[in-house]
Amino acid sequence: MSMSSSSPSSPPESLAMPQEKEELLSQVLKYHNQTKHSFTNYARGPHGLDWANQPNPFRRYLSAPLLPLLHPENNQNSPPYPFVFDSLPSPEPISKTTISQFLYNSLALSAWKSTGFSTWSLRVNPSSGNLHPTEAYIISPPVDSLSEHAFVSHYAPKEHALELRAQIPSGFFERFFPHNSFLIGFSSIFWREAWKYGERAFRYCNHDVGHAIAAVSMASSGLGWDVRVLDGLGYKELEKLMGLQIFPEFNIPSRPVKGRMPEIEFEHPDCVLLVMPNGTADFEVDYNELRLAISEFPNLEWKGKPNLLSKEHACWDIIYRTAEAVKKPLTMAKGAVFEPYRSSGMISGNSYKEFSLSEVVRKRRSAVDMDGFTVMSRETFYQILLHCMPSGSGGQKQRSQLALPFRALPWACEVHAVLFVHRVVGLPNGLYFLVRNEDHLDELRKATRSEFKWVKPDGCPDDLILYELAQGDCGELSKRLSCHQDIASDGCFSLGMVARVEPTLREKGTWMYPRLFWETGVLGQVLYLEAHAVGISATGIGCFFDDPVHEVLGLRGLEFQSLYHFTVGGPSC
């Protein structure tokens, strides 16, 4: 699927001249600034919800063969939740049983809820507003009792089944990937989020890609599988691999418009992840050869027609112009995929309940309110934050993302966290900062307020790069910054995820912009799971006042920006 407008389409960034690269960067930064909330003005969105046109949360490919999956009956084979952060079990073979369990513990429905005449589903992977813009595709070698040929399929979570989209010629997987491996791809339907959130929806869609990456990483770990984004591939390769060229071209209007626009329901290809046995060594992807093989995919016999999600639509044009500006080109010829697994570190006498991995991922819920009185110990707080570190333990400098689930991301960590501590026994209330990439420490100290203390709190583990900035009651402050929501102040702690934005886009390319949100989504999913594993709850906060957060920290310009907020504490019900 392609998009066009009255102006020429954006060239792939690798082919763009310096002026064109600046234009792409200008578009991305325009979007980022235009979609900020402030005390006096919220980002543009609908003035009320058009319930008659709420998007269908379930994409189906009509007339595509449906391959039912299995519903695991118990969690007997699922390892205890904390164990996978230390080491992975022996890898399971690919089969109908293991593919079923993988999807059941990552992207499947987890519950149905109802009130009055309304009924809705919850899923294992969290989503902004429970709108679920993320679609998933399995690209796999032959699997007994599913398909005797290699295939591309779409995952239908409501049915817990695969929709067969195309058969792949034999030899594809044997040529490019290790034995017992497969691919999972993600795409985004921007319309699903834009229906409720307007222009800010592009941010939320990419949060959800990160949630999904973490969800499949955690589910894979229970089966002894490792996961890595194949980020050498470009937009065009992803589109062909997942069969998304089926969608008609979307002509971007010059301004926000309403009307019947079925083509706005297209899927934007985000990424493809390789799922392979833990411990696979000396493997690298030949992206040039893989690109040539994928170039033949449009010639496959593709099955199924995508269903219509809404009768009427609203187009926020800046979303689609920005999606054009962040399209990623093919960026490498060959690349190593996996590095050694790294333990995430554990504190003795940890606070985890006796939950299996499957129980934690499937019973995770997004808190609606916090009770305002639940407290957590300092040790539990430190344990949660240890699992938020990208490189795990081992005394090496925190930079590369080697620990679960961050190891799925093939770039150096770009996201940190400012923490508002409210109810942690043994730790003074106040403002703290978690540095997740030590290479940024000097930049952060220079960019923030000169009066911040930057001292390690008492009892902080050596592997946890946590600093106290200032002491004091910050409950009212965190509430005010998070769009006046009590949930930000009524938990044990809340936080804002602060990313290195403009320098990253200039150094690596505008295609890193959505990836910064992916990284925040991965971190958010860790917080969700950690909270449930210790017996409390958490939720993401997408509504916050961007620049007032930066003002509290003393940040100027676009070097560091807050991209996602979160709160952790005791749920009120």
Side-chain angles (χ1 to χ4, degrees), residues 392-407:
S393 61
Q396 297 189 22
K397 197 168 187 178
Q398 298 282 358
R399 182 187 301 112
S400 299
Q401 311 204 74
L402 300 177
L404 184 73
F406 305 104
R407 60 184 286 102

Side-chain angles (χ1 to χ4, degrees), residues 197-251:
Y197 295 114
E199 292 184 345
R200 206 165 162 99
F202 186 73
R203 297 174 175 228
Y204 301 158
C205 287
N206 285 295
H207 286 155
D208 283 358
V209 174
H211 293 149
I213 290 172
V216 301
S217 298
M218 297 302 297
S220 295
S221 71
L223 294 162
W225 298 342
D226 213 345
V227 173
R228 188 79 160 182
V229 173
L230 296 182
D231 219 22
L233 293 174
Y235 176 92
K236 289 296 183 184
E237 289 75 41
L238 299 178
E239 184 178 57
K240 294 171 184 175
L241 186 61
M242 291 185 269
L244 302 183
Q245 71 281 350
I246 190 175
F247 294 96
E249 181 176 2
F250 177 54
N251 294 307

Side-chain angles (χ1 to χ4, degrees), residues 537-553:
S537 194
T539 195
I541 301 175
C543 186
F544 55 88
F545 298 123
D546 301 62
D547 286 337
V549 174
H550 305 143
E551 185 178 347
V552 166
L553 294 173

